[in-house]
Amino acid sequence: WSTIKERVFRCDAVIFACLAIRNEMATKQYPYIKKLLSSNIPLYVISAGTAVPINVIDKAITSGLSLETKKCLQDLDKKAVVFGTRGYLSQLFMEKVGSKRSHFTGDIAFYDKKWSEQAFRVGYSIKKIVISDPHYAGKYINALEKLVDEISETFPKAELTIALHGNESIARKFAENRNISYKRIYEDKQDGLNIYDDADLHVGFRVHGHVSMLKRRKYSYLLEQDGRGCDYGLTIDRKISIPCYRTVSNTGIYILDKVFNSQRISPVIKKTPVDLKAIDQMVALIQQDKDNDFRKFLGLEKQLESFVNLLCSDVSKLP
């Protein structure tokens, strides 16, 4: 903080671009946020989003939120000149936290001047497919394997590549063992997402892959792993995502917490494998869309443009 303090306090504004709402955000993602909240610098929140743990049974949407994080979000909501959220779920989350000023805008990541004037089209063949790797690959490796097999069968002549968004050896070794082309896009922070420039179709687990394709006006399908994916599934008008959550239950079984030598009781988390029927549902969706020349995507650019218009309203309030 001492290194950047003077520079920050000379700023006319601080922009939280795509604010990552996380339970440790006040200490991990944004360790100086309390200092900014106590300053006189105007703050702007653009396209805030959250990874709400929506796969926990019998829990409210904000149940995992610490009091510190809740207070941080409430203070930021009061302080910010604008507070935009990128999805319907994120907006509901903020309202449940007690926000009075946050509003939905959509994701600024959908905008790119290079493609902003283009529209979705039909009539071209699917020659190159990118499959994005899953978070928590150890839990999802069977789902990835089934997805690769099913997509290869649906598009037997297409060239298939696995995009490794994360430094995850399990997905990489799977690709190597199956002799499937893959690319470590996480190694290229600036241009790694350019793998989607030449793709005709994306299907997979990464929100960044989904957004990257849609802003290029290309077909994309998302397997929702958590609140981030669910946020886009709820918000985008077309049916192009399928829930594929890990099932986590924290009800019914409790143990004494021995680690901290306390009498506090904590839940034993029981995990069950990912339901592979989500892959069957995704393939069924893609096969029917393929037979209809992917016409469901026609006009989707209008909704993406509406996000940009809402965001421009927020950005126009910058000094």
Side-chain angles (χ1 to χ4, degrees):
W1 173 247
S2 61
T3 305
I4 64 169
K5 177 180 177 180
E6 291 186 10
R7 183 191 303 177
V8 170
F9 285 146
R10 288 198 303 269
C11 290
D12 295 308
V14 171
I15 303 172
F16 292 89
C18 302
L19 178 79
I21 301 173
R22 303 290 186 271
N23 199 33
E24 296 179 320
M25 61 182 292
T27 54
K28 184 177 180 181
Q29 281 80 19
Y30 305 99
Y32 310 135
I33 194 168
K34 292 180 181 178
K35 299 181 186 298
L36 294 171
L37 286 167
S38 63
S39 74
N40 293 321
I41 306 172
L43 307 179
Y44 296 77
V45 178
I46 306 294
S47 299
T50 182
V52 177
I54 53 177
N55 56 335
V56 180
I57 299 172
D58 295 334
K59 285 291 183 179
I61 192 172
T62 59
S63 61
L65 205 62
S66 68
L67 292 177
E68 180 185 31
T69 303
K70 186 175 182 179
K71 175 86 165 48
C72 176
L73 288 170
Q74 291 170 340
D75 290 345
L76 185 56
D77 181 64
K78 294 175 184 177
K79 170 86 173 179
V81 179
V82 294
F83 195 122
T85 57
R86 71 185 182 196
Y88 294 162
L89 186 63
S90 291
Q91 178 58 32
L92 175 66
F93 179 87
M94 284 303 303
E95 291 171 5
K96 294 292 186 181
V97 168
S99 168
K100 302 299 183 184
R101 300 178 59 238
S102 63
H103 56 281
F104 168 76
T105 61
D107 194 343
I108 199 168
F110 281 116
Y111 174 75
D112 194 305
K113 187 176 181 180
K114 183 176 180 181
W115 296 286
S116 62
E117 301 298 323
Q118 296 186 23
F120 286 93
R121 61 186 181 85
V122 298
Y124 63 87
S125 59
I126 304 300
K127 297 178 180 178
K128 293 185 178 182
I129 299 174
V130 174
I131 292 181
S132 58
D133 63 329
H135 296 277
Y136 332 111
K139 304 291 183 184
Y140 278 85
I141 191 62
N142 290 341
L144 176 61
E145 181 176 10
K146 182 176 177 61
L147 180 64
V148 168
D149 289 342
E150 296 285 357
I151 293 298
S152 296
E153 185 175 335
T154 303
F155 301 94
K157 296 181 179 180
E159 175 187 331
L160 197 68
T161 301
I162 295 178
L164 299 177
H165 285 244
N167 187 2
E168 175 56 74
S169 61
I170 294 175
R172 174 178 55 80
K173 289 178 179 177
F174 160 74
E176 290 175 344
N177 291 338
R178 294 283 298 272
N179 197 29
I180 299 169
S181 173
Y182 67 89
K183 189 172 183 179
R184 299 181 178 93
I185 69 170
Y186 63 85
E187 292 180 343
D188 188 348
K189 301 295 184 184
Q190 294 299 320
D191 300 314
L193 292 172
N194 289 350
I195 189 175
Y196 295 103
D197 284 353
D198 299 324
D200 300 307
L201 173 73
H202 161 261
V203 55
F205 302 86
R206 297 283 181 162
V207 164
H208 284 121
H210 194 48
V211 173
S212 294
M213 282 291 278
L214 293 177
K215 79 175 182 180
R216 287 166 169 79
R217 310 303 192 241
K218 296 183 176 183
Y219 313 143
S220 179
Y221 296 85
L222 179 69
L223 287 154
E224 307 168 13
Q225 290 191 266
D226 53 29
R228 288 167 291 186
C230 179
D231 217 4
Y232 292 93
L234 289 174
T235 306
I236 295 174
D237 287 343
R238 313 301 162 88
K239 179 64 174 178
I240 51 177
S241 67
I242 296 289
C244 188
Y245 309 134
R246 295 171 297 160
T247 303
V248 180
S249 173
N250 63 351
T251 57
I253 306 175
Y254 294 89
I255 59 170
L256 288 176
D257 186 348
K258 303 293 186 182
V259 177
F260 299 102
N261 192 27
S262 71
Q263 295 303 305
R264 176 168 53 89
I265 59 174
S266 58
V268 175
I269 296 178
K270 298 176 66 179
K271 296 180 180 178
T272 58
V274 175
D275 189 349
L276 296 182
K277 288 194 290 293
I279 308 300
D280 291 325
Q281 294 168 25
M282 177 59 77
V283 172
L285 182 65
I286 293 174
Q287 285 180 345
Q288 289 301 311
D289 287 350
K290 174 189 174 186
D291 291 343
N292 289 306
D293 291 329
F294 298 98
R295 292 187 178 278
K296 72 159 46 163
F297 286 89
L298 290 176
L300 180 56
E301 69 277 357
K302 294 178 182 177
Q303 186 185 23
L304 306 186
E305 290 167 4
S306 73
F307 300 159
V308 175
N309 292 332
L310 290 170
L311 287 155
C312 281
S313 176
D314 278 5
V315 173
S316 70
K317 295 179 175 65
L318 281 163

mmCIF file with all atom_site columns, all heavy atoms in Angstrom, residues 192-203:
data_model
loop_
_atom_site.group_PDB
_atom_site.id
_atom_site.type_symbol
_atom_site.label_atom_id
_atom_site.label_alt_id
_atom_site.label_comp_id
_atom_site.label_asym_id
_atom_site.label_entity_id
_atom_site.label_seq_id
_atom_site.pdbx_PDB_ins_code
_atom_site.Cartn_x
_atom_site.Cartn_y
_atom_site.Cartn_z
_atom_site.occupancy
_atom_site.B_iso_or_equiv
_atom_site.pdbx_formal_charge
_atom_site.auth_seq_id
_atom_site.auth_comp_id
_atom_site.auth_asym_id
_atom_site.auth_atom_id
_atom_site.pdbx_PDB_model_num
ATOM 1  N N   . GLY A 1 192 ? -4.497  -14.925 -25.104 1.00 0.00 ? 192 GLY A N   1
ATOM 2  C CA  . GLY A 1 192 ? -4.889  -16.335 -25.055 1.00 0.00 ? 192 GLY A CA  1
ATOM 3  C C   . GLY A 1 192 ? -6.283  -16.601 -25.584 1.00 0.00 ? 192 GLY A C   1
ATOM 4  O O   . GLY A 1 192 ? -6.532  -17.621 -26.243 1.00 0.00 ? 192 GLY A O   1
ATOM 5  N N   . LEU A 1 193 ? -7.191  -15.673 -25.339 1.00 0.00 ? 193 LEU A N   1
ATOM 6  C CA  . LEU A 1 193 ? -8.584  -15.857 -25.783 1.00 0.00 ? 193 LEU A CA  1
ATOM 7  C C   . LEU A 1 193 ? -8.740  -15.735 -27.290 1.00 0.00 ? 193 LEU A C   1
ATOM 8  O O   . LEU A 1 193 ? -9.819  -16.002 -27.824 1.00 0.00 ? 193 LEU A O   1
ATOM 9  C CB  . LEU A 1 193 ? -9.497  -14.860 -25.076 1.00 0.00 ? 193 LEU A CB  1
ATOM 10 C CG  . LEU A 1 193 ? -9.678  -15.093 -23.569 1.00 0.00 ? 193 LEU A CG  1
ATOM 11 C CD1 . LEU A 1 193 ? -10.429 -13.935 -22.933 1.00 0.00 ? 193 LEU A CD1 1
ATOM 12 C CD2 . LEU A 1 193 ? -10.410 -16.403 -23.296 1.00 0.00 ? 193 LEU A CD2 1
ATOM 13 N N   . ASN A 1 194 ? -7.669  -15.361 -27.973 1.00 0.00 ? 194 ASN A N   1
ATOM 14 C CA  . ASN A 1 194 ? -7.725  -15.294 -29.443 1.00 0.00 ? 194 ASN A CA  1
ATOM 15 C C   . ASN A 1 194 ? -7.880  -16.668 -30.082 1.00 0.00 ? 194 ASN A C   1
ATOM 16 O O   . ASN A 1 194 ? -8.100  -16.770 -31.292 1.00 0.00 ? 194 ASN A O   1
ATOM 17 C CB  . ASN A 1 194 ? -6.470  -14.619 -29.995 1.00 0.00 ? 194 ASN A CB  1
ATOM 18 C CG  . ASN A 1 194 ? -6.437  -13.128 -29.707 1.00 0.00 ? 194 ASN A CG  1
ATOM 19 O OD1 . ASN A 1 194 ? -7.438  -12.564 -29.266 1.00 0.00 ? 194 ASN A OD1 1
ATOM 20 N ND2 . ASN A 1 194 ? -5.310  -12.499 -29.932 1.00 0.00 ? 194 ASN A ND2 1
ATOM 21 N N   . ILE A 1 195 ? -7.786  -17.720 -29.272 1.00 0.00 ? 195 ILE A N   1
ATOM 22 C CA  . ILE A 1 195 ? -8.042  -19.066 -29.793 1.00 0.00 ? 195 ILE A CA  1
ATOM 23 C C   . ILE A 1 195 ? -9.455  -19.142 -30.383 1.00 0.00 ? 195 ILE A C   1
ATOM 24 O O   . ILE A 1 195 ? -9.733  -19.958 -31.264 1.00 0.00 ? 195 ILE A O   1
ATOM 25 C CB  . ILE A 1 195 ? -7.867  -20.127 -28.684 1.00 0.00 ? 195 ILE A CB  1
ATOM 26 C CG1 . ILE A 1 195 ? -7.909  -21.548 -29.276 1.00 0.00 ? 195 ILE A CG1 1
ATOM 27 C CG2 . ILE A 1 195 ? -8.921  -19.970 -27.602 1.00 0.00 ? 195 ILE A CG2 1
ATOM 28 C CD1 . ILE A 1 195 ? -7.614  -22.639 -28.262 1.00 0.00 ? 195 ILE A CD1 1
ATOM 29 N N   . TYR A 1 196 ? -10.342 -18.257 -29.920 1.00 0.00 ? 196 TYR A N   1
ATOM 30 C CA  . TYR A 1 196 ? -11.730 -18.278 -30.383 1.00 0.00 ? 196 TYR A CA  1
ATOM 31 C C   . TYR A 1 196 ? -11.935 -17.503 -31.690 1.00 0.00 ? 196 TYR A C   1
ATOM 32 O O   . TYR A 1 196 ? -13.034 -17.533 -32.252 1.00 0.00 ? 196 TYR A O   1
ATOM 33 C CB  . TYR A 1 196 ? -12.642 -17.740 -29.284 1.00 0.00 ? 196 TYR A CB  1
ATOM 34 C CG  . TYR A 1 196 ? -12.642 -18.631 -28.062 1.00 0.00 ? 196 TYR A CG  1
ATOM 35 C CD1 . TYR A 1 196 ? -11.921 -18.290 -26.919 1.00 0.00 ? 196 TYR A CD1 1
ATOM 36 C CD2 . TYR A 1 196 ? -13.325 -19.842 -28.064 1.00 0.00 ? 196 TYR A CD2 1
ATOM 37 C CE1 . TYR A 1 196 ? -11.897 -19.123 -25.809 1.00 0.00 ? 196 TYR A CE1 1
ATOM 38 C CE2 . TYR A 1 196 ? -13.304 -20.684 -26.968 1.00 0.00 ? 196 TYR A CE2 1
ATOM 39 C CZ  . TYR A 1 196 ? -12.582 -20.316 -25.837 1.00 0.00 ? 196 TYR A CZ  1
ATOM 40 O OH  . TYR A 1 196 ? -12.543 -21.153 -24.749 1.00 0.00 ? 196 TYR A OH  1
ATOM 41 N N   . ASP A 1 197 ? -10.879 -16.847 -32.179 1.00 0.00 ? 197 ASP A N   1
ATOM 42 C CA  . ASP A 1 197 ? -11.000 -16.097 -33.437 1.00 0.00 ? 197 ASP A CA  1
ATOM 43 C C   . ASP A 1 197 ? -11.395 -16.999 -34.603 1.00 0.00 ? 197 ASP A C   1
ATOM 44 O O   . ASP A 1 197 ? -12.218 -16.618 -35.439 1.00 0.00 ? 197 ASP A O   1
ATOM 45 C CB  . ASP A 1 197 ? -9.675  -15.399 -33.776 1.00 0.00 ? 197 ASP A CB  1
ATOM 46 C CG  . ASP A 1 197 ? -9.437  -14.158 -32.924 1.00 0.00 ? 197 ASP A CG  1
ATOM 47 O OD1 . ASP A 1 197 ? -10.345 -13.773 -32.166 1.00 0.00 ? 197 ASP A OD1 1
ATOM 48 O OD2 . ASP A 1 197 ? -8.337  -13.593 -33.010 1.00 0.00 ? 197 ASP A OD2 1
ATOM 49 N N   . ASP A 1 198 ? -10.778 -18.168 -34.664 1.00 0.00 ? 198 ASP A N   1
ATOM 50 C CA  . ASP A 1 198 ? -10.981 -19.062 -35.800 1.00 0.00 ? 198 ASP A CA  1
ATOM 51 C C   . ASP A 1 198 ? -11.989 -20.174 -35.529 1.00 0.00 ? 198 ASP A C   1
ATOM 52 O O   . ASP A 1 198 ? -12.236 -21.003 -36.397 1.00 0.00 ? 198 ASP A O   1
ATOM 53 C CB  . ASP A 1 198 ? -9.641  -19.687 -36.223 1.00 0.00 ? 198 ASP A CB  1
ATOM 54 C CG  . ASP A 1 198 ? -8.626  -18.644 -36.657 1.00 0.00 ? 198 ASP A CG  1
ATOM 55 O OD1 . ASP A 1 198 ? -9.042  -17.651 -37.260 1.00 0.00 ? 198 ASP A OD1 1
ATOM 56 O OD2 . ASP A 1 198 ? -7.421  -18.835 -36.386 1.00 0.00 ? 198 ASP A OD2 1
ATOM 57 N N   . ALA A 1 199 ? -12.543 -20.209 -34.329 1.00 0.00 ? 199 ALA A N   1
ATOM 58 C CA  . ALA A 1 199 ? -13.490 -21.275 -33.987 1.00 0.00 ? 199 ALA A CA  1
ATOM 59 C C   . ALA A 1 199 ? -14.865 -21.004 -34.597 1.00 0.00 ? 199 ALA A C   1
ATOM 60 O O   . ALA A 1 199 ? -15.282 -19.848 -34.741 1.00 0.00 ? 199 ALA A O   1
ATOM 61 C CB  . ALA A 1 199 ? -13.606 -21.399 -32.474 1.00 0.00 ? 199 ALA A CB  1
ATOM 62 N N   . ASP A 1 200 ? -15.545 -22.064 -34.964 1.00 0.00 ? 200 ASP A N   1
ATOM 63 C CA  . ASP A 1 200 ? -16.919 -21.961 -35.456 1.00 0.00 ? 200 ASP A CA  1
ATOM 64 C C   . ASP A 1 200 ? -17.937 -22.255 -34.354 1.00 0.00 ? 200 ASP A C   1
ATOM 65 O O   . ASP A 1 200 ? -19.086 -21.826 -34.426 1.00 0.00 ? 200 ASP A O   1
ATOM 66 C CB  . ASP A 1 200 ? -17.142 -22.949 -36.607 1.00 0.00 ? 200 ASP A CB  1
ATOM 67 C CG  . ASP A 1 200 ? -16.213 -22.682 -37.782 1.00 0.00 ? 200 ASP A CG  1
ATOM 68 O OD1 . ASP A 1 200 ? -16.179 -21.535 -38.255 1.00 0.00 ? 200 ASP A OD1 1
ATOM 69 O OD2 . ASP A 1 200 ? -15.512 -23.627 -38.210 1.00 0.00 ? 200 ASP A OD2 1
ATOM 70 N N   . LEU A 1 201 ? -17.490 -22.996 -33.352 1.00 0.00 ? 201 LEU A N   1
ATOM 71 C CA  . LEU A 1 201 ? -18.389 -23.398 -32.268 1.00 0.00 ? 201 LEU A CA  1
ATOM 72 C C   . LEU A 1 201 ? -17.580 -23.561 -30.992 1.00 0.00 ? 201 LEU A C   1
ATOM 73 O O   . LEU A 1 201 ? -16.465 -24.099 -31.010 1.00 0.00 ? 201 LEU A O   1
ATOM 74 C CB  . LEU A 1 201 ? -19.077 -24.723 -32.618 1.00 0.00 ? 201 LEU A CB  1
ATOM 75 C CG  . LEU A 1 201 ? -19.933 -25.386 -31.528 1.00 0.00 ? 201 LEU A CG  1
ATOM 76 C CD1 . LEU A 1 201 ? -21.238 -24.628 -31.329 1.00 0.00 ? 201 LEU A CD1 1
ATOM 77 C CD2 . LEU A 1 201 ? -20.232 -26.847 -31.872 1.00 0.00 ? 201 LEU A CD2 1
ATOM 78 N N   . HIS A 1 202 ? -18.127 -23.081 -29.877 1.00 0.00 ? 202 HIS A N   1
ATOM 79 C CA  . HIS A 1 202 ? -17.558 -23.358 -28.557 1.00 0.00 ? 202 HIS A CA  1
ATOM 80 C C   . HIS A 1 202 ? -18.594 -24.090 -27.730 1.00 0.00 ? 202 HIS A C   1
ATOM 81 O O   . HIS A 1 202 ? -19.786 -23.755 -27.744 1.00 0.00 ? 202 HIS A O   1
ATOM 82 C CB  . HIS A 1 202 ? -17.170 -22.074 -27.830 1.00 0.00 ? 202 HIS A CB  1
ATOM 83 C CG  . HIS A 1 202 ? -17.025 -22.263 -26.330 1.00 0.00 ? 202 HIS A CG  1
ATOM 84 N ND1 . HIS A 1 202 ? -18.028 -21.914 -25.439 1.00 0.00 ? 202 HIS A ND1 1
ATOM 85 C CD2 . HIS A 1 202 ? -16.019 -22.806 -25.593 1.00 0.00 ? 202 HIS A CD2 1
ATOM 86 C CE1 . HIS A 1 202 ? -17.630 -22.211 -24.205 1.00 0.00 ? 202 HIS A CE1 1
ATOM 87 N NE2 . HIS A 1 202 ? -16.422 -22.747 -24.275 1.00 0.00 ? 202 HIS A NE2 1
ATOM 88 N N   . VAL A 1 203 ? -18.135 -25.084 -27.014 1.00 0.00 ? 203 VAL A N   1
ATOM 89 C CA  . VAL A 1 203 ? -18.960 -25.727 -25.996 1.00 0.00 ? 203 VAL A CA  1
ATOM 90 C C   . VAL A 1 203 ? -18.029 -26.114 -24.860 1.00 0.00 ? 203 VAL A C   1
ATOM 91 O O   . VAL A 1 203 ? -16.931 -26.620 -25.093 1.00 0.00 ? 203 VAL A O   1
ATOM 92 C CB  . VAL A 1 203 ? -19.724 -26.961 -26.561 1.00 0.00 ? 203 VAL A CB  1
ATOM 93 C CG1 . VAL A 1 203 ? -18.781 -27.959 -27.188 1.00 0.00 ? 203 VAL A CG1 1
ATOM 94 C CG2 . VAL A 1 203 ? -20.549 -27.623 -25.465 1.00 0.00 ? 203 VAL A CG2 1
#
